[in-house]
Amino acid sequence: MGAFKFVGVGLMTRLMLLGADGFIGAHVRARLASEPDVDVTTVTRRGDVDADVRLDLAESPVAVAHTLRDVAPDVVVNCAGSTTGEASLLAANNLVAVSNLVDALLTAGRPVRLVHLGSVAEYGRIPAGEAAREESPERPVTPYGLTKLAGTHLVRTAAAAGLDAVTLRVTTPIGPDAPVLTLAGRLVGQLRQIEAEGAGGVTTGPLDDVRDFVDIRDVADAVVAVALRPRGRAALPSVLNVGSGVATPTREMVTALLALAGFTGGLRTDGGGAHRDTALPWQHADITRAREALGWSPRHTLESSLHDLWHSALAHC
């Protein structure tokens, strides 16, 4: 996608990227590196990673406000949060953290745009054969989905109060450097181990669900499209779905990845590896609104995402 201009030509946009060390955050960071006139300040919870600032959004609202004051960004992109863990951890990083951030932005005394990363899990059980739209019922059934929806409600409320804020509800991201917390990332890890040991089989949990797999680079494109959208244009909807717009059986994705890796061994689906979406057998998002509002469309096929995932893993060997 081409470059987006947030303010006047020749003016630098200051952008604060929260969660810059995560799967989405790292790809947003890489995508922003190709944008001229954007000064990015990276923020992470951990102190042992390459970032400009260490900040735990859930730890102290005062610290969040002070960081916002010191960085003085034009745009904040929030890729921080937790996808797994105890309910208390999910609540802290997906709800308390967002509350602290929104409060700091509303009292910043200057206009700041917020791009917040949400999840399709906020819709809960999508009826099989249907695609969730932004106005679909929000009935999450997992702690992850509940805490993400609570965070989105905070952002939506802040937008109604005048904050320039948009939540992007992302489906199942896939692509280069997918972490082991994802099914595709775990599979790649198993396949690399099998290659190293010269034998073995692949074990997963049940593969009966359907997912809307979206390339992580397409997600990053959507984030940048919102973050650097010129001021003065018509306001965006407070929530936009970001996905591939294609419902793919998980077994089909697994089979394609195994074939790409040249794996001819056995596949067992009676093992562990359950993840947060097992309670959601069907996932499919309608991305019409994002296409129309942003001029954004996913550019990568599932096949190209898997190809690049596998070869990124080989490059790290």
Side-chain angles (χ1 to χ4, degrees), residues 15-65:
L15 186 147
M16 187 164 74
L17 177 60
L18 306 172
D21 58 331
F23 183 34
I24 295 179
H27 280 273
V28 171
R29 182 180 188 176
R31 174 65 178 79
L32 286 167
S34 67
E35 288 294 329
D37 304 324
V38 179
D39 179 22
V40 179
T41 298
T42 54
V43 181
T44 65
R45 279 198 303 267
R46 295 164 49 197
D48 60 340
V49 296
D50 177 25
D52 299 310
V53 178
R54 182 199 174 279
L55 174 68
D56 186 339
L57 292 170
E59 192 172 84
S60 166
V62 174
V64 176

Side-chain angles (χ1 to χ4, degrees), residues 50-204:
D50 177 25
D52 299 310
V53 178
R54 182 199 174 279
L55 174 68
D56 186 339
L57 292 170
E59 192 172 84
S60 166
V62 174
V64 176
H66 284 175
T67 301
L68 196 67
R69 179 200 61 200
D70 294 342
V71 176
D74 301 302
V75 183
V76 173
V77 175
N78 183 26
C79 298
S82 292
T83 58
T84 60
E86 297 294 327
S88 58
L89 178 68
L90 293 169
N93 294 329
N94 297 338
L95 175 55
V96 175
V98 177
S99 177
N100 290 342
L101 175 61
V102 166
D103 285 347
L105 289 168
L106 286 173
T107 58
R110 56 190 302 274
V112 185
R113 173 174 295 169
L114 172 62
V115 185
H116 175 68
L117 274 293
S119 169
V120 72
E122 296 171 36
Y123 292 117
R125 296 182 188 275
I126 301 169
E130 295 186 13
R133 298 176 59 85
E134 287 82 356
E135 62 270 18
S136 294
E138 300 166 336
R139 300 166 182 165
V141 296
T142 64
Y144 171 72
L146 285 164
T147 56
K148 291 298 289 184
L149 178 59
T152 292
H153 278 325
L154 288 172
V155 175
R156 186 185 276 152
T157 300
L163 182 66
D164 182 359
V166 175
T167 295
L168 300 180
R169 277 188 175 148
V170 180
T171 57
T172 299
I174 196 169
D177 304 313
V180 294
L181 289 175
T182 68
L183 174 58
R186 285 196 302 274
L187 279 173
V188 168
Q190 288 189 51
L191 290 167
R192 288 179 59 183
Q193 182 177 357
I194 291 169
E195 281 190 339
E197 297 176 354
V202 170
T203 303
T204 71

Side-chain angles (χ1 to χ4, degrees), residues 9 58 81 120 137 159 187 224 246:
V9 175
V120 72
L187 279 173
V224 173
V246 178

